[in-house]
Amino acid sequence: MSHNSAWTPQEHKGAEGPSRVPSSARQDERTTAPYEPLLLRMKDYWNKRDKQLIKQLLVANLSSLPPAKHHGLVFFMLDGSDNLRTKKADSMGLVILREFDCIVQRNEKEYERIMQTFTDHYKLEVLQLATMAHNNVFTLMCKLYGLDKPGNESLASHINVMLARHQYKEASVCATTLNLQYLFKLEDIVLPLIFQDKVNLVELYIKPRKEIQKQLVIRLDGYCSRRFDLQSFVDSFNIPGTRLEKLRPKNLSKLIVRLVKMFNLDITLCPNTLQFRELGSIRYLLYKKYIEKSMSHTTWDELITAAVGTDEYLMREVVELLMSYNDASLAAKFAHRFNLPKDSLHPVVLNALKELSLNESKSSVNTEEENWDDAHDGYSEMESKFHQFHFKDDCILTVDNISKLKMCAQTIFQPSNVIGMDMEWKPSLTIKQNASQISVVQLSTANQVFLLDMIALSGNENEQLVGRFFSDFFLNPDVIKLGYGAETDFLMLKKSYPLLQSAIRDRQAFLDLAVIQENAFKMNAGIFQYESDGREKGLSELVLLCFGKPLNKMEQMSNWEIRPLRKAQVQYAALDAYCLIEVYNYLNARLKEVTPGLDLVQLYASSQTKPKTSREKTKKNKKAIRREKQQQKVESFRQGMEQVAKLQRPSISSRDFRVVCDNMLQGLGRYLRACGVDVKILENSDDHDLAAKIAREEHRVILTSGLPFHTLKSHVQEGCCMDVRTDLKAQDQVADVLRYFNVKVTSKDIFSRCQVCNSNKYVAVNRADMKRLWLERKLARASAGTPRDPVSASRPCDAVSPGIGPLSNYSDEEDEFETPDDDVDDDNDEFVYKGPATSKDRTSPSAFPSADDGRGPESEGVHKMYDKDLLRTDLSIDFRNAKFSNNTIIQVDNILEGVLNNVKLYYVCSECGKVFWEGGHFQRISEQFGHVISKD
């Protein structure tokens, strides 16, 4: 599109009414010739960065023309702007558009009338230019030329061109801005974006369209069905950049729940997602019961029953999962409770059913379970393991009416009182369960504990009295209030009782013992009498540090909405509040011994009086704190791993280390492969048992986590199966795996294995041969009528027709491209095609770069990324078919044209044909794993 094709005023002087803009093919150059000097002057001002003169010159020329001619002149200036297509945020075109926008705002009605006269062809030319510019220019052009007004359906043709080039990101931005989403199916834009993991663009695209939101969540929920073949479905689309690992039911269900919450949709539209998430909750509860052993049987039974509901599939899954833990007796009890058909049960379960003396009444199972719970909640065993509550039962008062609340207030509001405070609510493990509210608030003095039954106290008639009680409590400066990590409690309290927001915000004399614990650690003054065992966390760890025994948290996740509360729940709730006073008294005494003149109130106040910072700086500080805490967790875990690993393992190089990663640790597998480890990664559809088979046949170590670890470790030798912590980032997981198995990584090991197929053999291809391969492939596609490859199409080049470039600054945080231009030395070697190769043209191994070959990097040595023992010289290149002599096709389609003139040496995987080169990504990964690279 020439800059002469945009503006066609009929007459310069005395023209009346709006001017029509004919096709550029019929353009009369005499109409734009008088404005060529104006454009040159503006460019000169722009080179001098004199934006003010550009604005003045534009205003002066527009004022000499009738308003009907203004859009045409502005378009002419934009089309002739040299830097508009460079997609930079600051451009001459942006200065012109912003000034023109100010002019339009002063006379909006007249310009609205003018925009109504624009033809569809003219709007299409404007859109073609707008999509080649930066987003700030694109947005203004759509606004000032009325591209987003009703009746713009003809512009969808340009979006279709983008889709034909697989420019889904650019197409979604364009369709969203023009409000044309209704013209496209989910398969056109939305699903390809989800396949590419560009969810943020999907959210913007569907935000104004309720019908599309419902269609999408229903469609995605169908993909979560156990009978749906997602792999074949995704393959049928052939979308470049598809991230199949992001399409697992686990990830899809998270996306569905996120969309349902974001757009306030009905979750019952997604039955498969509900079922999948509930099954995940059941697995979590089984883990808590059998692995962590941190939940009482009664609590576990209540939550399992709520999660299963009336779903027959989940009932069968519970029985099967119980069998995987070798608990046939409990599996038989649940099979009896769920009334499952006997022909669907495992023979072991059937035998267990025969052995159990179950009553016909449904309550028999519950009675036996409750007796089991009572037996395990006895104090004889607990006193030796956990910190105990030594009050008598009459010291615990349940407050369930207003008269008892008034009696509680008389005790609580005594001057100089120290009150321990905690709150409990029913856990919401599945998304179908209603959002929980505060059920119990515990307030403890040194002699008595009050359990406020918030369910009984709720109601319109009590709302004001309860609100006044808490308001007086939080705002009372004479009563010291203790909590531990109370922010979550306060959030739930504000959610349950919105009237308390101001009182909670302005609370006085409140001490968070979690903050004091952190400051005490920083002081490192020997305040604590005992050491942490690394297993406990939160308040339980603090009690352990002070008194040598942790808290019993078996009732933490119980159903706090049941009435009456069980004895174990009452004891747990009372101790959680009372122990805060015990810790407060202990720390106060210890602090005065270690640092005379300093008490807990002063220590807490000093931690809260920090200088105010800007919002951005505060955000950075929060990130730094999170990183510091994460690093502490990582270091603690590493120390624990060293203690657990009793075997003295000999040192092994990463290239000799062979592992198989379970499908839940695919990210860890890719990171290990980047460090040169021989890694096999299970697919999403693979069963966990396949890891054991591969480990035995190929002598590999198994990396898994959670439940599968306890099953798989028995299939391999001791020490050859590792339970990887899933609460760590993949980068930290890598460090722990290498440390545990004593694996040494050198800088030469980074990327020594192909990230796609795990091969460690490459073929070095110099720039001249790669250019030749690229052009041969390009000619082959052209002769076959195949469209350009999607990656190349996403960057404008000489072969792309003008006016159909991408939108530039709609970036996705997870959509990264390799940009080698900044990472390699530039030279003057131009990309010149010298004609097609003949069918006999092949490069023999001797034609590859060597130390004496002038085609390799002159001063850097030949192979900077890879050792020579990783390079194959026995393969030749078939240029016509772009493959090696072993029939491996070289993937040249994904190389950007601009890369070919900058990168001197390429490394092609001899097994899958993936092309690599040393650029910024190689350097970033090397720096990222600097903490695991051996200094030797």
Side-chain angles (χ1 to χ4, degrees), residues 302-369:
E302 292 169 352
L303 296 175
I304 280 285
T305 303
V308 171
T310 59
D311 193 312
E312 293 183 4
Y313 167 74
L314 294 177
M315 293 177 182
R316 293 192 299 271
E317 284 296 311
V318 167
V319 174
E320 291 182 10
L321 288 170
L322 286 170
M323 285 299 299
S324 69
Y325 284 98
N326 298 321
D327 197 340
S329 176
L330 191 55
K333 291 180 182 180
F334 274 97
H336 176 78
R337 179 189 297 183
F338 296 149
N339 198 23
L340 295 178
K342 292 186 177 181
D343 57 359
S344 67
L345 299 178
H346 192 277
V348 177
V349 180
L350 290 174
N351 292 334
L353 272 172
K354 295 176 183 179
E355 295 173 2
L356 289 173
S357 56
L358 297 173
N359 297 325
E360 293 183 359
S361 63
K362 193 175 180 180
S363 62
S364 62
V365 175
N366 296 330
T367 302
E368 183 175 347
E369 290 167 357

Side-chain angles (χ1 to χ4, degrees), residues 633-838:
K633 290 181 181 179
V634 172
E635 189 59 35
S636 174
F637 178 59
R638 284 175 178 166
Q639 294 173 1
M641 291 291 288
E642 289 177 345
Q643 295 173 2
V644 172
K646 297 179 181 179
L647 298 175
Q648 296 296 323
R649 304 178 185 274
S651 175
I652 183 175
S653 71
S654 64
R655 300 188 189 185
D656 296 328
F657 186 43
R658 296 161 59 83
V659 304
V660 54
C661 276
D662 210 342
N663 45 27
M664 69 183 71
L665 297 173
Q666 292 175 341
L668 169 62
R670 287 190 292 271
Y671 272 107
L672 285 172
R673 191 176 285 170
C675 291
V677 177
D678 184 352
V679 182
K680 279 201 171 181
I681 304 174
L682 297 191
E683 297 295 334
N684 299 329
S685 57
D686 291 337
D687 190 77
H688 298 297
D689 293 338
L690 180 60
K693 180 181 178 182
I694 294 174
R696 289 193 302 266
E697 293 177 353
E698 303 181 14
H699 304 289
R700 294 177 180 270
V701 167
I702 299 177
L703 301 181
T704 184
S705 182
L707 301 179
F709 167 75
H710 300 276
T711 304
L712 295 175
K713 69 177 182 179
S714 61
H715 294 280
V716 293
Q717 295 180 357
E718 183 180 358
C720 292
C721 183
M722 178 178 177
D723 186 5
V724 179
R725 277 185 58 176
T726 55
D727 60 336
L728 301 178
K729 295 181 179 179
Q731 185 177 345
D732 298 321
Q733 290 175 337
V734 169
D736 288 317
V737 170
L738 299 178
R739 189 186 190 95
Y740 183 76
F741 291 102
N742 200 9
V743 179
K744 301 299 182 184
V745 180
T746 67
S747 57
K748 286 292 185 181
D749 295 324
I750 302 298
F751 283 143
S752 60
R753 285 195 174 272
C754 175
Q755 297 300 289
V756 179
C757 70
N758 196 44
S759 170
N760 65 343
K761 294 297 181 183
Y762 299 85
V763 177
V765 179
N766 59 47
R767 177 165 48 197
D769 289 340
M770 189 58 72
K771 289 178 180 179
R772 185 174 172 185
L773 283 166
W774 193 90
L775 278 171
E776 287 286 358
R777 181 63 180 154
K778 179 179 176 182
L779 288 174
R781 288 196 309 270
S783 61
T786 306
R788 294 186 59 209
D789 60 274
V791 180
S792 314
S794 67
R795 297 288 191 275
C797 62
D798 295 338
V800 182
S801 60
I804 316 179
L807 298 171
S808 61
N809 80 321
Y810 273 88
S811 60
D812 187 340
E813 290 182 359
E814 298 188 37
D815 184 24
E816 298 181 359
F817 291 92
E818 178 68 69
T819 21
D821 306 63
D822 300 330
D823 300 312
V824 297
D825 296 331
D826 195 9
D827 58 20
N828 297 320
D829 187 9
E830 295 297 333
F831 188 177
V832 181
Y833 178 54
K834 299 181 179 179
T838 65

Side-chain angles (χ1 to χ4, degrees), residues 113-252:
R113 181 180 58 81
I114 293 172
M115 283 189 284
Q116 293 175 5
T117 66
F118 292 161
T119 64
D120 291 343
H121 177 75
Y122 180 53
K123 289 182 179 179
L124 186 60
E125 285 194 351
V126 174
L127 181 61
Q128 289 174 348
L129 179 62
T131 53
M132 298 179 69
H134 191 273
N135 176 59
N136 52 24
V137 172
F138 169 79
T139 305
L140 274 175
M141 289 185 72
C142 289
K143 171 188 173 184
L144 295 174
Y145 287 84
L147 302 185
D148 54 352
K149 302 295 182 183
N152 61 349
E153 290 81 4
S154 61
L155 301 180
S157 61
H158 183 63
I159 300 176
N160 285 324
V161 173
M162 292 178 172
L163 294 177
R165 295 172 165 228
H166 301 297
Q167 295 175 321
Y168 302 106
K169 181 167 66 173
E170 293 81 1
S172 71
V173 172
C174 198
T176 303
T177 305
L178 302 180
N179 298 314
L180 294 177
Q181 298 97 319
Y182 66 96
L183 294 178
F184 299 93
K185 299 178 181 178
L186 292 177
E187 294 84 355
D188 294 333
I189 297 177
V190 175
L191 292 183
L193 287 175
I194 290 177
F195 292 170
Q196 295 176 335
D197 196 30
K198 295 182 172 64
V199 178
N200 57 339
L201 292 175
V202 172
E203 292 169 356
L204 292 173
Y205 182 89
I206 67 175
K207 185 176 182 179
R209 300 285 176 176
K210 199 72 174 180
E211 69 280 2
I212 300 180
Q213 297 166 10
K214 291 183 179 179
Q215 292 173 14
L216 178 59
V217 295
I218 292 173
R219 180 73 65 87
L220 293 178
D221 182 69
Y223 300 160
C224 293
S225 171
R226 301 185 303 277
R227 295 177 294 274
F228 185 76
D229 186 0
L230 184 62
Q231 178 73 60
S232 301
F233 179 73
V234 172
D235 291 344
S236 67
F237 274 77
N238 194 26
I239 303 298
T242 296
R243 302 185 64 178
L244 194 60
E245 71 276 8
K246 295 292 185 179
L247 302 178
R248 296 168 53 191
K250 179 179 179 180
N251 294 323
L252 278 182

